[in-house]
Amino acid sequence: MSAEPIMEPVMTQVDPIDLLNAIEEASPMPIRPEYIEGTVIVAPQPNDNHNDGAFKLAVQFFNAGFELAGMGNGYRAANKDGGTMALLIPDFYVRRRKAPPNSTSPTAGPTRAGTPST
């Protein structure tokens, strides 16, 4: 069974992390909402075949020399003023650069879902 992603524009002054937490709590089943440039996106739940394909793709990128390929991290992108522009957890990723150790920049590296990096 597949479903189309639900995309609804969100015009709010609420912190996107709080907004996503509220959406998750209101849902009768587990969901994985993401916030991208003012829009909340609720993608369909991945199944075993989907996860298997995402894993194999990340491994292929890694074996091809892209050592910063992986899966399972969440990311936050910020505007120049520091406001959150996007919160997402990609199925897999290939980063351009590694986050500096002990980074205090909120946009420098991976985060856990629902918590900003510090």
XYZ file of all heavy atoms in Angstrom:
884
model
N 0.843 -1.170 0.000
C 0.000 0.000 0.000
C 0.891 1.237 0.000
O 1.839 1.337 0.757
C -0.875 -0.024 1.246
C -1.782 1.139 1.367
S -2.821 0.885 2.819
C -3.506 2.490 2.935
N 0.605 2.180 -0.866
C 1.376 3.413 -0.893
C 0.434 4.600 -0.783
O -0.752 4.490 -1.063
C 2.206 3.509 -2.171
O 1.347 3.636 -3.278
N 0.987 5.707 -0.395
C 0.199 6.925 -0.245
C 1.015 8.100 -0.727
O 2.238 8.071 -0.696
C -0.191 7.123 1.219
N 0.332 9.116 -1.178
C 0.996 10.335 -1.601
C 1.365 11.148 -0.359
O 0.620 11.163 0.620
C 0.076 11.170 -2.492
C -0.209 10.513 -3.827
C 1.043 10.350 -4.671
O 1.853 11.291 -4.748
O 1.223 9.258 -5.231
N 2.498 11.851 -0.379
C 2.843 12.711 0.758
C 1.786 13.794 0.953
O 1.201 14.282 -0.009
C 4.172 13.333 0.345
C 4.678 12.494 -0.756
C 3.500 11.860 -1.415
N 1.545 14.130 2.201
C 0.613 15.204 2.532
C 1.437 16.463 2.708
O 2.360 16.508 3.516
C -0.143 14.879 3.833
C -0.948 13.602 3.669
C -1.025 16.053 4.236
C -1.532 13.093 4.959
N 1.136 17.487 1.928
C 1.874 18.743 2.026
C 0.879 19.878 2.240
O 0.012 20.106 1.409
C 2.696 18.984 0.762
C 3.736 17.903 0.543
S 4.874 18.225 -0.791
C 3.822 18.125 -2.211
N 1.004 20.550 3.364
C 0.125 21.660 3.702
C 0.965 22.868 4.079
O 1.841 22.763 4.931
C -0.772 21.299 4.897
C -1.757 20.183 4.626
C -2.865 20.611 3.690
O -3.199 21.800 3.667
O -3.368 19.743 2.963
N 0.718 24.030 3.458
C 1.450 25.226 3.883
C 1.100 25.577 5.325
O -0.047 25.462 5.730
C 0.967 26.324 2.940
C 0.162 25.650 1.898
C -0.182 24.274 2.368
N 2.087 25.983 6.071
C 1.884 26.327 7.472
C 2.327 27.768 7.678
O 3.481 28.095 7.488
C 2.699 25.399 8.397
C 2.541 25.809 9.834
C 2.281 23.962 8.202
N 1.391 28.631 8.042
C 1.713 30.023 8.318
C 1.612 30.198 9.828
O 0.530 30.325 10.376
C 0.718 30.959 7.612
C 0.649 30.717 6.113
S 2.202 30.994 5.300
C 2.085 32.708 4.980
N 2.739 30.145 10.488
C 2.714 30.181 11.946
C 4.001 30.789 12.485
O 5.020 30.794 11.823
C 2.528 28.752 12.515
O 2.517 28.838 13.925
C 3.645 27.833 12.084
N 3.934 31.303 13.691
C 5.105 31.806 14.379
C 5.592 30.797 15.409
O 6.488 31.081 16.173
C 4.774 33.150 15.067
C 4.402 34.243 14.101
C 5.527 34.546 13.120
O 6.690 34.518 13.460
N 5.167 34.834 11.881
N 4.987 29.614 15.422
C 5.377 28.559 16.344
C 6.712 27.979 15.893
O 6.959 27.838 14.694
C 4.300 27.446 16.370
C 4.711 26.290 17.243
C 2.968 28.016 16.822
N 7.576 27.638 16.844
C 8.835 26.993 16.504
C 8.517 25.698 15.758
O 7.685 24.910 16.195
C 9.606 26.682 17.785
C 10.978 26.120 17.508
O 11.057 25.050 16.873
O 11.956 26.744 17.918
N 9.173 25.462 14.610
C 8.871 24.258 13.831
C 9.046 22.950 14.604
O 8.320 21.993 14.372
C 9.858 24.337 12.667
C 10.162 25.779 12.535
C 10.112 26.336 13.923
N 9.983 22.907 15.530
C 10.176 21.690 16.319
C 8.942 21.421 17.175
O 8.440 20.302 17.232
C 11.445 21.791 17.182
C 12.673 21.844 16.269
C 11.544 20.622 18.160
C 13.956 22.163 16.973
N 8.417 22.465 17.813
C 7.197 22.309 18.615
C 6.015 21.920 17.735
O 5.181 21.108 18.122
C 6.887 23.598 19.376
C 7.945 23.922 20.420
O 8.619 22.988 20.889
O 8.098 25.116 20.743
N 5.942 22.507 16.545
C 4.863 22.201 15.613
C 4.905 20.730 15.203
O 3.882 20.039 15.227
C 4.971 23.101 14.383
C 3.944 22.889 13.289
C 2.550 23.235 13.793
C 4.290 23.736 12.079
N 6.078 20.231 14.843
C 6.197 18.826 14.445
C 5.892 17.883 15.600
O 5.258 16.846 15.407
C 7.595 18.547 13.887
C 7.942 19.256 12.577
C 9.359 18.908 12.155
C 6.957 18.930 11.484
N 6.322 18.255 16.803
C 5.989 17.436 17.976
C 4.482 17.371 18.190
O 3.938 16.320 18.496
C 6.678 17.971 19.227
C 8.152 17.631 19.268
O 8.595 16.679 18.642
N 8.919 18.412 20.002
N 3.793 18.509 18.025
C 2.335 18.532 18.195
C 1.644 17.671 17.139
O 0.679 16.952 17.440
C 1.828 19.970 18.126
N 2.133 17.730 15.913
C 1.544 16.913 14.840
C 1.746 15.432 15.137
O 0.828 14.624 14.975
C 2.143 17.305 13.470
C 1.677 18.708 13.080
C 1.776 16.286 12.398
C 2.373 19.287 11.882
N 2.943 15.058 15.587
C 3.212 13.657 15.924
C 2.319 13.179 17.066
O 1.786 12.072 17.023
C 4.676 13.472 16.315
C 5.616 13.469 15.139
C 7.047 13.246 15.544
O 7.578 14.077 16.312
O 7.628 12.244 15.099
N 2.152 14.012 18.086
C 1.326 13.633 19.239
C -0.141 13.496 18.852
O -0.860 12.659 19.402
C 1.480 14.653 20.357
C 2.828 14.580 21.047
C 3.025 15.683 22.073
O 2.070 16.419 22.369
O 4.157 15.794 22.570
N -0.616 14.287 17.896
C -2.021 14.245 17.488
C -2.328 13.073 16.560
O -3.488 12.708 16.393
C -2.397 15.554 16.794
N -1.316 12.483 15.989
C -1.533 11.399 15.035
C -1.865 10.100 15.760
O -1.219 9.750 16.749
C -0.277 11.197 14.190
O -0.447 10.079 13.344
N -2.867 9.353 15.259
C -3.213 8.077 15.898
C -2.199 6.979 15.620
O -2.224 5.935 16.256
C -4.568 7.736 15.268
C -4.559 8.423 13.949
C -3.747 9.667 14.138
N -1.297 7.179 14.651
C -0.277 6.186 14.336
C 1.068 6.882 14.191
O 1.109 8.102 14.018
C -0.636 5.440 13.053
C -0.631 6.322 11.818
S -0.851 5.391 10.322
C -2.603 5.489 10.138
N 2.160 6.149 14.256
C 3.477 6.776 14.094
C 3.614 7.421 12.714
O 3.254 6.819 11.705
C 4.464 5.619 14.245
C 3.711 4.547 14.941
C 2.277 4.719 14.547
N 4.119 8.643 12.685
C 4.361 9.354 11.428
C 5.744 9.977 11.483
O 6.365 10.020 12.541
C 3.303 10.446 11.161
C 3.302 11.488 12.281
C 1.932 9.847 10.946
C 2.449 12.697 12.003
N 6.211 10.456 10.355
C 7.506 11.133 10.328
C 7.371 12.456 9.574
O 7.735 12.570 8.416
C 8.592 10.244 9.737
C 8.226 9.627 8.422
C 9.306 8.706 7.922
N 9.208 8.647 6.467
C 10.171 8.324 5.676
N 11.341 8.029 6.151
N 9.998 8.301 4.381
N 6.816 13.464 10.260
C 6.645 14.758 9.603
C 7.972 15.480 9.432
O 8.892 15.309 10.227
C 5.725 15.520 10.552
C 6.043 14.960 11.886
C 6.354 13.495 11.643
N 8.051 16.274 8.376
C 9.213 17.109 8.118
C 8.725 18.519 7.836
O 7.594 18.719 7.410
C 10.010 16.567 6.929
C 10.572 15.178 7.193
C 11.273 14.581 5.999
O 11.047 15.055 4.871
O 12.050 13.638 6.190
N 9.564 19.500 8.087
C 9.231 20.911 7.891
C 10.233 21.486 6.902
O 11.430 21.503 7.170
C 9.326 21.639 9.234
C 9.034 23.110 9.173
C 7.725 23.567 9.236
C 10.063 24.032 9.070
C 7.453 24.929 9.198
C 9.792 25.391 9.027
C 8.489 25.834 9.092
O 8.225 27.175 9.052
N 9.736 21.914 5.732
C 10.620 22.442 4.700
C 10.047 23.755 4.188
O 8.970 23.779 3.582
C 10.796 21.442 3.541
C 11.357 20.130 4.092
C 11.699 22.026 2.454
C 11.428 19.017 3.095
N 10.751 24.844 4.464
C 10.391 26.184 4.011
C 8.915 26.514 4.225
O 8.212 26.908 3.298
C 10.795 26.363 2.548
C 12.288 26.302 2.349
C 12.709 26.565 0.920
O 11.849 26.751 0.046
O 13.921 26.585 0.689
N 8.438 26.339 5.449
C 7.080 26.721 5.801
C 6.028 25.677 5.498
O 4.847 25.908 5.711
N 6.414 24.522 4.993
C 5.456 23.472 4.652
C 5.737 22.233 5.492
O 6.875 21.780 5.582
C 5.570 23.105 3.160
O 5.348 24.266 2.379
C 4.561 22.047 2.770
N 4.679 21.684 6.095
C 4.793 20.425 6.820
C 4.502 19.310 5.826
O 3.485 19.330 5.136
C 3.810 20.357 8.004
C 3.834 18.972 8.644
C 4.158 21.419 9.029
N 5.416 18.356 5.738
C 5.259 17.222 4.836
C 5.227 15.951 5.683
O 6.109 15.732 6.499
C 6.425 17.150 3.829
C 6.456 18.420 2.984
C 6.324 15.905 2.961
C 7.672 18.544 2.099
N 4.197 15.145 5.468
C 4.107 13.848 6.134
C 4.223 12.798 5.043
O 3.282 12.550 4.295
C 2.789 13.687 6.923
C 2.747 12.319 7.596
C 2.654 14.793 7.956
N 5.403 12.221 4.942
C 5.657 11.207 3.916
C 5.081 9.867 4.350
O 4.909 9.616 5.541
C 7.162 11.082 3.701
N 4.780 9.000 3.396
C 4.304 7.664 3.755
C 5.373 6.905 4.534
O 6.569 7.157 4.364
C 4.052 6.976 2.406
C 4.282 7.973 1.361
C 4.872 9.202 1.966
N 4.939 5.987 5.370
C 5.883 5.190 6.146
C 6.655 4.260 5.219
O 6.067 3.598 4.366
C 5.154 4.363 7.202
C 4.621 5.174 8.348
C 5.730 5.813 9.150
O 6.747 5.210 9.446
N 5.542 7.072 9.506
N 7.972 4.202 5.374
C 8.748 3.279 4.547
C 8.528 1.843 5.003
O 8.313 1.580 6.178
C 10.186 3.709 4.793
C 10.168 4.353 6.131
C 8.807 4.977 6.275
N 8.572 0.927 4.049
C 8.467 -0.484 4.405
C 9.855 -1.115 4.313
O 10.847 -0.437 4.050
C 7.453 -1.202 3.514
C 7.833 -1.140 2.046
O 8.989 -0.907 1.682
N 6.856 -1.349 1.184
N 9.949 -2.412 4.498
C 11.235 -3.096 4.511
C 11.954 -2.964 3.165
O 13.161 -2.737 3.128
C 11.045 -4.568 4.881
C 12.366 -5.269 5.078
O 13.166 -4.794 5.911
O 12.611 -6.274 4.383
N 11.231 -3.079 2.067
C 11.861 -2.956 0.748
C 12.438 -1.555 0.549
O 13.509 -1.387 -0.019
C 10.862 -3.275 -0.367
C 10.516 -4.739 -0.417
O 11.273 -5.589 0.034
N 9.354 -5.044 -0.954
N 11.705 -0.549 1.002
C 12.172 0.833 0.891
C 13.462 1.029 1.679
O 14.442 1.571 1.171
C 11.080 1.776 1.406
C 11.515 3.203 1.510
N 11.367 4.095 0.482
C 12.104 3.880 2.520
C 11.842 5.266 0.847
N 12.296 5.170 2.083
N 13.468 0.588 2.928
C 14.650 0.729 3.774
C 15.834 -0.051 3.212
O 16.979 0.419 3.257
C 14.353 0.280 5.199
C 13.397 1.211 5.892
O 13.255 2.364 5.514
N 12.713 0.704 6.899
N 15.576 -1.240 2.677
C 16.634 -2.045 2.080
C 17.258 -1.303 0.892
O 18.481 -1.243 0.758
C 16.068 -3.397 1.634
C 17.128 -4.319 1.068
O 18.112 -4.592 1.791
O 16.969 -4.763 -0.089
N 16.418 -0.711 0.045
C 16.917 0.039 -1.106
C 17.704 1.274 -0.693
O 18.755 1.572 -1.280
N 17.219 2.015 0.310
C 17.921 3.208 0.782
C 19.282 2.830 1.363
O 20.284 3.502 1.117
C 17.081 3.943 1.830
N 19.332 1.737 2.107
C 20.595 1.284 2.683
C 21.584 0.906 1.585
O 22.751 1.318 1.597
C 20.357 0.090 3.617
C 21.625 -0.516 4.137
C 22.360 0.123 5.118
C 22.094 -1.717 3.621
C 23.544 -0.431 5.595
C 23.270 -2.265 4.086
C 23.999 -1.626 5.071
N 21.124 0.135 0.610
C 22.011 -0.290 -0.477
C 22.515 0.905 -1.281
O 23.673 0.928 -1.713
C 21.300 -1.290 -1.377
C 21.140 -2.644 -0.717
C 20.384 -3.615 -1.596
C 20.247 -4.958 -0.890
N 19.438 -5.897 -1.664
N 21.667 1.906 -1.481
C 22.082 3.096 -2.205
C 23.158 3.863 -1.426
O 24.162 4.294 -1.998
C 20.874 4.001 -2.479
C 21.124 5.216 -3.345
C 21.686 4.819 -4.704
C 19.824 5.980 -3.518
N 22.967 4.015 -0.116
C 23.966 4.695 0.715
C 25.294 3.932 0.684
O 26.368 4.540 0.598
C 23.459 4.845 2.150
N 25.248 2.611 0.725
C 26.466 1.799 0.662
C 27.158 1.978 -0.684
O 28.382 2.092 -0.752
C 26.155 0.306 0.939
C 27.341 -0.580 0.601
C 25.746 0.113 2.391
N 26.378 2.031 -1.767
C 26.967 2.231 -3.100
C 27.689 3.577 -3.175
O 28.790 3.663 -3.725
C 25.890 2.148 -4.189
C 25.374 0.753 -4.419
C 26.444 -0.171 -4.977
O 27.235 0.215 -5.824
N 26.485 -1.389 -4.476
N 27.066 4.636 -2.644
C 27.734 5.940 -2.618
C 29.031 5.861 -1.808
O 30.064 6.375 -2.222
C 26.826 7.018 -2.022
C 25.916 7.667 -3.019
C 24.552 7.469 -2.955
C 26.430 8.503 -4.003
C 23.715 8.081 -3.868
C 25.603 9.117 -4.919
C 24.245 8.903 -4.860
N 28.978 5.209 -0.657
C 30.156 5.081 0.191
C 31.269 4.323 -0.543
O 32.424 4.744 -0.566
C 29.800 4.374 1.505
C 30.960 4.246 2.440
C 31.324 5.301 3.263
C 31.708 3.078 2.493
C 32.401 5.199 4.131
C 32.791 2.961 3.340
C 33.140 4.027 4.164
N 30.916 3.212 -1.163
C 31.906 2.409 -1.886
C 32.467 3.132 -3.100
O 33.575 2.830 -3.544
C 31.317 1.067 -2.300
C 31.106 0.144 -1.118
O 31.770 0.277 -0.092
N 30.178 -0.787 -1.252
N 31.718 4.091 -3.646
C 32.176 4.867 -4.796
C 33.091 6.016 -4.365
O 33.526 6.796 -5.204
C 30.982 5.393 -5.576
N 33.349 6.132 -3.076
C 34.278 7.150 -2.601
C 33.638 8.324 -1.886
O 34.326 9.238 -1.443
N 32.325 8.337 -1.764
C 31.638 9.397 -1.030
C 31.531 8.958 0.427
O 30.538 8.375 0.844
C 30.249 9.665 -1.623
C 30.285 10.202 -3.018
C 30.227 9.345 -4.106
C 30.390 11.562 -3.233
C 30.266 9.842 -5.398
C 30.420 12.066 -4.522
C 30.371 11.200 -5.607
N 32.590 9.229 1.197
C 32.675 8.706 2.558
C 31.663 9.314 3.515
O 31.444 8.782 4.598
C 34.089 8.879 3.097
C 35.090 8.028 2.344
C 36.471 8.076 2.944
O 36.647 8.702 4.005
O 37.371 7.477 2.344
N 31.037 10.402 3.145
C 30.047 11.036 4.024
C 28.628 10.634 3.639
O 27.672 11.358 3.898
C 30.226 12.552 4.008
C 31.580 13.033 4.548
C 31.679 14.543 4.456
C 31.809 12.569 5.969
N 28.478 9.475 3.011
C 27.155 8.937 2.708
C 26.682 8.144 3.918
O 27.466 7.502 4.608
C 27.216 8.036 1.485
N 25.393 8.203 4.194
C 24.861 7.460 5.317
C 23.359 7.556 5.399
O 22.694 7.974 4.451
N 22.828 7.184 6.542
C 21.383 7.242 6.767
C 21.110 7.355 8.255
O 21.972 7.063 9.078
C 20.686 6.022 6.169
C 21.264 4.700 6.563
S 20.685 3.297 5.572
C 18.955 3.502 5.546
N 19.913 7.862 8.590
C 19.492 7.907 9.982
C 19.688 9.235 10.690
O 19.286 9.369 11.836
N 20.300 10.224 10.065
C 20.481 11.521 10.712
C 19.343 12.463 10.358
O 18.783 12.385 9.276
C 21.797 12.180 10.267
C 23.016 11.515 10.861
O 22.920 10.802 11.839
N 24.153 11.754 10.264
N 19.061 13.384 11.266
C 18.112 14.452 10.995
C 18.874 15.752 10.831
O 19.952 15.921 11.395
N 18.336 16.676 10.045
C 19.037 17.924 9.764
C 18.124 19.129 9.938
O 16.925 19.044 9.707
C 19.588 17.916 8.331
C 20.646 16.868 8.143
C 20.328 15.601 7.693
C 21.964 17.144 8.467
C 21.303 14.632 7.546
C 22.951 16.174 8.326
C 22.603 14.933 7.863
O 23.576 13.975 7.735
N 18.744 20.243 10.318
C 18.054 21.524 10.455
C 18.799 22.536 9.606
O 20.014 22.664 9.697
C 18.068 21.993 11.908
C 17.522 23.397 12.101
C 17.638 23.808 13.580
N 17.119 25.146 13.756
C 17.878 26.240 13.767
N 19.179 26.159 13.612
N 17.327 27.421 13.936
N 18.069 23.251 8.765
C 18.654 24.344 7.993
C 18.067 25.642 8.518
O 16.864 25.720 8.800
C 18.331 24.182 6.509
N 18.899 26.661 8.655
C 18.455 27.931 9.232
C 18.605 29.071 8.234
O 19.484 29.048 7.371
C 19.260 28.243 10.488
N 17.733 30.072 8.387
C 17.865 31.318 7.643
C 19.050 32.088 8.197
O 19.603 31.737 9.244
C 16.602 32.175 7.809
C 15.395 31.514 7.210
O 15.470 30.910 6.154
N 14.270 31.639 7.902
N 19.418 33.179 7.539
C 20.532 34.000 8.023
C 20.261 34.576 9.404
O 21.177 34.819 10.173
C 20.826 35.116 7.025
C 21.430 34.605 5.748
C 21.734 35.724 4.792
C 22.325 35.147 3.512
N 22.656 36.163 2.533
N 18.970 34.780 9.728
C 18.630 35.321 11.048
C 18.567 34.236 12.125
O 18.280 34.517 13.287
C 17.321 36.091 10.987
C 16.113 35.209 10.701
O 16.279 33.989 10.513
O 14.994 35.747 10.666
N 18.818 32.980 11.760
C 18.820 31.890 12.725
C 17.507 31.157 12.832
O 17.417 30.148 13.518
N 16.455 31.646 12.163
C 15.165 30.966 12.197
C 15.202 29.665 11.404
O 15.885 29.555 10.390
N 14.474 28.678 11.866
C 14.471 27.380 11.207
C 13.762 27.463 9.868
O 12.630 27.921 9.781
C 13.788 26.329 12.096
O 14.539 26.219 13.301
C 13.737 24.972 11.422
N 14.429 27.012 8.831
C 13.871 26.986 7.492
C 13.426 25.571 7.131
O 12.454 25.386 6.410
C 14.915 27.477 6.490
C 14.450 27.558 5.069
S 15.662 28.334 3.997
C 16.998 27.168 4.060
N 14.136 24.548 7.632
C 13.798 23.170 7.300
C 14.261 22.227 8.400
O 15.317 22.422 8.991
C 14.442 22.768 5.971
N 13.439 21.228 8.668
C 13.779 20.113 9.557
C 13.418 18.844 8.797
O 12.279 18.681 8.385
C 12.950 20.157 10.846
C 13.198 21.306 11.792
C 12.085 21.354 12.838
C 14.540 21.158 12.468
N 14.380 17.973 8.566
C 14.059 16.766 7.825
C 14.976 15.615 8.206
O 16.065 15.815 8.733
C 14.120 16.997 6.319
C 15.457 17.431 5.763
C 15.810 16.560 4.586
C 15.339 18.866 5.323
N 14.485 14.417 7.934
C 15.252 13.193 8.151
C 15.230 12.443 6.832
O 14.269 11.754 6.512
C 14.642 12.334 9.276
C 14.528 13.127 10.567
C 15.475 11.068 9.481
C 13.744 12.440 11.654
N 16.276 12.599 6.019
C 16.276 11.935 4.718
C 16.461 10.425 4.850
O 17.018 9.937 5.832
C 17.474 12.568 4.009
C 18.371 13.024 5.106
C 17.472 13.390 6.259
N 15.992 9.687 3.840
C 16.184 8.231 3.837
C 17.662 7.893 3.781
O 18.116 6.945 4.405
C 15.465 7.606 2.645
C 13.956 7.761 2.767
O 13.444 7.671 3.891
O 13.306 7.975 1.739
N 18.415 8.649 3.008
C 19.863 8.550 2.988
C 20.395 9.931 2.634
O 19.647 10.798 2.208
C 20.367 7.486 1.989
C 20.227 7.893 0.562
C 21.284 8.481 -0.124
C 19.036 7.701 -0.109
C 21.148 8.875 -1.439
C 18.897 8.083 -1.433
C 19.962 8.667 -2.097
N 21.667 10.144 2.845
C 22.255 11.448 2.554
C 23.680 11.269 2.063
O 24.316 10.244 2.302
C 22.238 12.357 3.785
C 22.975 11.757 4.961
C 24.351 11.887 5.089
C 22.290 11.044 5.934
C 25.022 11.318 6.156
C 22.961 10.471 6.990
C 24.323 10.609 7.096
O 25.002 10.041 8.127
N 24.173 12.279 1.358
C 25.574 12.395 0.994
C 25.956 13.828 1.322
O 25.508 14.762 0.668
C 25.833 12.095 -0.496
C 27.318 12.231 -0.813
C 25.324 10.711 -0.872
N 26.746 14.006 2.376
C 27.138 15.352 2.797
C 28.355 15.817 2.019
O 29.171 15.017 1.564
C 27.459 15.368 4.288
C 26.247 15.073 5.145
C 26.556 15.233 6.602
N 27.776 14.519 6.973
C 27.960 13.914 8.114
N 27.031 13.919 9.015
N 29.086 13.293 8.368
N 28.499 17.145 1.887
C 29.671 17.738 1.242
C 30.852 17.788 2.188
O 31.995 17.698 1.768
C 29.384 19.176 0.785
C 28.400 19.281 -0.319
C 28.273 20.708 -0.809
N 28.021 21.638 0.288
C 28.368 22.896 0.281
N 28.972 23.418 -0.740
N 28.090 23.688 1.298
N 30.572 18.009 3.455
C 31.664 18.154 4.415
C 31.221 17.581 5.758
O 30.039 17.472 6.049
C 32.043 19.619 4.581
C 30.937 20.474 5.158
C 31.328 21.947 5.184
N 30.327 22.725 5.846
C 29.233 23.201 5.270
N 28.993 22.961 4.012
N 28.371 23.917 5.955
N 32.198 17.236 6.553
C 31.927 16.700 7.881
C 31.754 17.857 8.852
O 32.463 18.861 8.765
C 33.079 15.804 8.309
C 32.789 15.011 9.546
C 33.838 13.949 9.748
C 33.394 13.067 10.878
N 33.882 11.731 10.746
N 30.814 17.737 9.768
C 30.603 18.767 10.779
C 31.826 18.820 11.688
O 32.393 17.783 12.034
C 29.359 18.456 11.601
N 32.252 20.033 12.069
C 33.395 20.125 12.979
C 33.055 19.509 14.334
O 31.917 19.569 14.770
C 33.648 21.626 13.100
C 32.469 22.301 12.521
C 31.716 21.311 11.697
N 34.038 18.888 14.992
C 33.761 18.295 16.304
C 33.356 19.371 17.309
O 33.863 20.483 17.269
C 35.085 17.626 16.696
C 36.121 18.265 15.835
C 35.439 18.766 14.600
N 32.427 19.030 18.184
C 31.944 19.938 19.228
C 31.431 21.249 18.653
O 31.598 22.310 19.239
C 33.035 20.213 20.266
C 33.510 18.946 20.921
O 32.715 18.053 21.185
N 34.797 18.844 21.168
N 30.791 21.174 17.496
C 30.272 22.372 16.851
C 29.107 22.942 17.651
O 28.273 22.216 18.164
C 29.802 22.030 15.442
O 29.164 23.128 14.877
N 29.058 24.268 17.753
C 27.939 24.927 18.424
C 27.003 25.564 17.425
O 26.013 26.158 17.795
C 28.442 26.010 19.392
O 29.223 26.956 18.665
C 29.259 25.402 20.515
N 27.298 25.439 16.145
C 26.438 26.010 15.111
C 25.194 25.152 14.944
O 25.294 23.939 14.798
C 27.182 26.076 13.778
O 26.293 26.421 12.749
N 23.978 25.753 14.963
C 22.762 24.955 14.826
C 22.588 24.368 13.441
O 21.750 23.529 13.234
C 21.642 25.940 15.155
C 22.223 27.282 14.922
C 23.689 27.165 15.170
N 23.388 24.776 12.470
C 23.238 24.230 11.123
C 24.455 23.424 10.701
O 24.571 23.023 9.562
C 23.023 25.364 10.101
O 24.147 26.234 10.147
C 21.764 26.120 10.375
N 25.358 23.153 11.617
C 26.632 22.537 11.249
C 26.534 21.046 10.996
O 27.335 20.498 10.278
C 27.666 22.796 12.336
N 25.597 20.364 11.587
C 25.619 18.926 11.404
C 24.320 18.260 11.759
O 23.285 18.904 11.872
N 24.386 16.955 11.922
C 23.175 16.189 12.161
C 22.550 16.479 13.517
O 23.215 16.926 14.432
C 23.660 14.739 12.092
C 25.119 14.785 12.305
C 25.583 16.144 11.877
N 21.255 16.236 13.597
C 20.520 16.365 14.845
C 19.721 15.098 15.055
O 19.510 14.329 14.129
C 19.532 17.550 14.803
O 18.545 17.287 13.828
C 20.229 18.850 14.511
N 19.265 14.906 16.223
C 18.289 13.848 16.468
C 16.927 14.430 16.122
O 16.716 15.629 16.227
C 18.305 13.424 17.930
C 19.556 12.711 18.311
C 19.128 11.534 19.161
N 20.263 10.747 19.538
C 20.540 9.574 19.011
N 19.759 9.079 18.074
N 21.560 8.893 19.405
N 16.012 13.579 15.711
C 14.678 14.064 15.336
C 14.062 14.847 16.488
O 14.011 14.364 17.607
C 13.784 12.885 14.969
N 13.637 16.048 16.190
C 12.932 16.850 17.176
C 13.809 17.663 18.109
O 13.302 18.369 18.947
N 15.132 17.556 17.995
C 15.995 18.347 18.866
C 17.032 19.081 18.037
O 17.655 18.474 17.177
C 16.716 17.477 19.916
O 17.474 16.490 19.234
C 15.737 16.835 20.864
N 17.210 20.369 18.247
C 18.205 21.097 17.460
C 19.615 20.694 17.873
O 19.854 20.328 19.011
C 17.940 22.559 17.810
C 17.271 22.525 19.133
C 16.518 21.214 19.203
N 20.532 20.729 16.905
C 21.920 20.413 17.242
C 22.538 21.585 17.979
O 22.181 22.736 17.765
C 22.716 20.110 15.970
O 22.790 21.259 15.167
N 23.457 21.307 18.875
C 24.152 22.357 19.610
C 25.617 22.042 19.673
O 26.042 20.961 19.457
C 23.600 22.522 21.041
O 23.640 21.265 21.697
C 22.190 23.040 20.997
